[in-house]
Structures are given as C-alpha cells and as structure tokens.
Amino acid sequence: MRAAALVASAVLLAAGRPASEDAHGPSRLADRLGPVEVGKPLPSFAGPTADGTFALGSFLRERRPRAVVVTVFATWCTACAKLLPRAAEAVRGEAESGVALVVVDVGEDDEEAARQWLAANGVLAGEGGASIVLDPFQKISADRLGVTALPRTFVLDGAGKVRAIFAHEGEDYPAVLRREVARVRAEAR
C-alpha cells in the first residue's frame, strides 16, 4: 500500500499537482531532487533582495546558523499559500536557537510585493523573520536547485549540507519539519 502511495505521489508531482491531495501525512521526497541530494551541500545560489544580493555561502559564513530552512515558492501558487505559513510556524521563535528561514520567490521581481504576500500569509510574523530572495527568471529554483514543482522545502545544516527535502506536506508538516530542524540543530552542538 505504501509503495502504491509513493508511486501515486511521484505521478502527481510530475503532473504538477500536490502529492498531499492523495497521500496521508507528509510526502517526504526521496533523497535526491535533480542536482540536490541529501547529505551533499545545497548548490550555492545568489539572488536579489531589497538590501542588494543574498548569497547562500555568505549567509552561512556570516550568520553561522545551526539549521536553515530554504523554501522555494511563488505568490501565485495555492499550495505555497498553505505551506509557507506552516513552515514559518515550525521555525518561528527559533532564531535565538540558530535556525534561519530563507524563502525564494519564483517569478517575482518586486520584493515589496513578495514581502506583502508573505506578511499577509503570516510568514513574516514573529521574531527572526525570513530572508527573501527573488528568483524572477528561475535561475535559482530551476537552474541551481532543480525545482520543477512548487513548493519545495530543503532543511540544511549550518555548513549548507542538505539534511531533508520536503514537498507538499500533509497536515502534520509543522511537527515533522520541527523534528527535522531540531535534529539538525542538536547535531550542530
């Protein structure tokens, strides 16, 4: 039964529909997504922000986080509108513990529009906020990270190594993400 659900999830992802429509619980992907592989560094990327440019490598060196949640989304994506607030909920209040949230907005070239959408959807509420990276031409999402369906969430350790890849999670997504982040954070001690 589980194998059939995984095959159905893969078919739905390939078709661009959220796997959670037919899957129960979180639909955690395999250990690989295009060039991204669990246990390997996330491909480095840089993109425009309101303050200039966000570069993952510089961010990791300067902020020295214990864990980073990178979520690739789009303001027009209805599944993203459901996922992003839950991702933010899972890491809200964790900034003091060394957890950072980075959101990559696909197809957007206006950070103020992205910021308004994120605020309206509860992503920017609370301490720590999120680093917003714009990806107007999919140079980050498609070219660097191999993302072909939205949303997509990567959990990284402080060195930028991918520890988990999630997509289209079920209702227990905040708890599962919180557990993954806690595991990564604890191993960083």
Side-chain angles (χ1 to χ4, degrees), residues 54 56 59-60 65-70 91 98-102 154-158 160-161 181 184:
F54 174 94
L56 181 62
F59 177 81
L60 294 171
R66 288 185 173 167
V68 181
V69 176
V70 177
V91 299
V99 178
L101 176 62
V102 176
F154 304 95
V155 178
L156 314 178
D157 64 19
K161 187 184 300 181
V181 168
V184 171

Side-chain angles (χ1 to χ4, degrees), residues 1-11:
M1 182 74 166
R2 183 151 166 72
L6 289 174
V7 170
S9 295
V11 170

Side-chain angles (χ1 to χ4, degrees), residues 9 14 34-35 41 50 55 73 83 88 123-124 127 132 134-135 137 164 166 170 180:
S9 295
F73 80 104
L83 173 86
V123 177
L124 298 181
E127 64 178 88
I132 303 168
L134 303 178
D135 187 18
F137 304 108
F166 291 86
E180 285 294 320

Side-chain angles (χ1 to χ4, degrees), residues 3-27:
L6 289 174
V7 170
S9 295
V11 170
L12 289 173
L13 284 172
R17 292 189 301 272
S20 61
E21 288 177 356
D22 291 321
H24 298 291
S27 52

Side-chain angles (χ1 to χ4, degrees), residues 3-51:
L6 289 174
V7 170
S9 295
V11 170
L12 289 173
L13 284 172
R17 292 189 301 272
S20 61
E21 288 177 356
D22 291 321
H24 298 291
S27 52
R28 184 171 178 180
L29 292 181
D31 292 334
R32 184 176 188 87
L33 172 70
V36 178
E37 189 173 343
V38 170
K40 306 253 173 144
L42 188 72
S44 184
F45 65 84
T49 69
D51 303 327

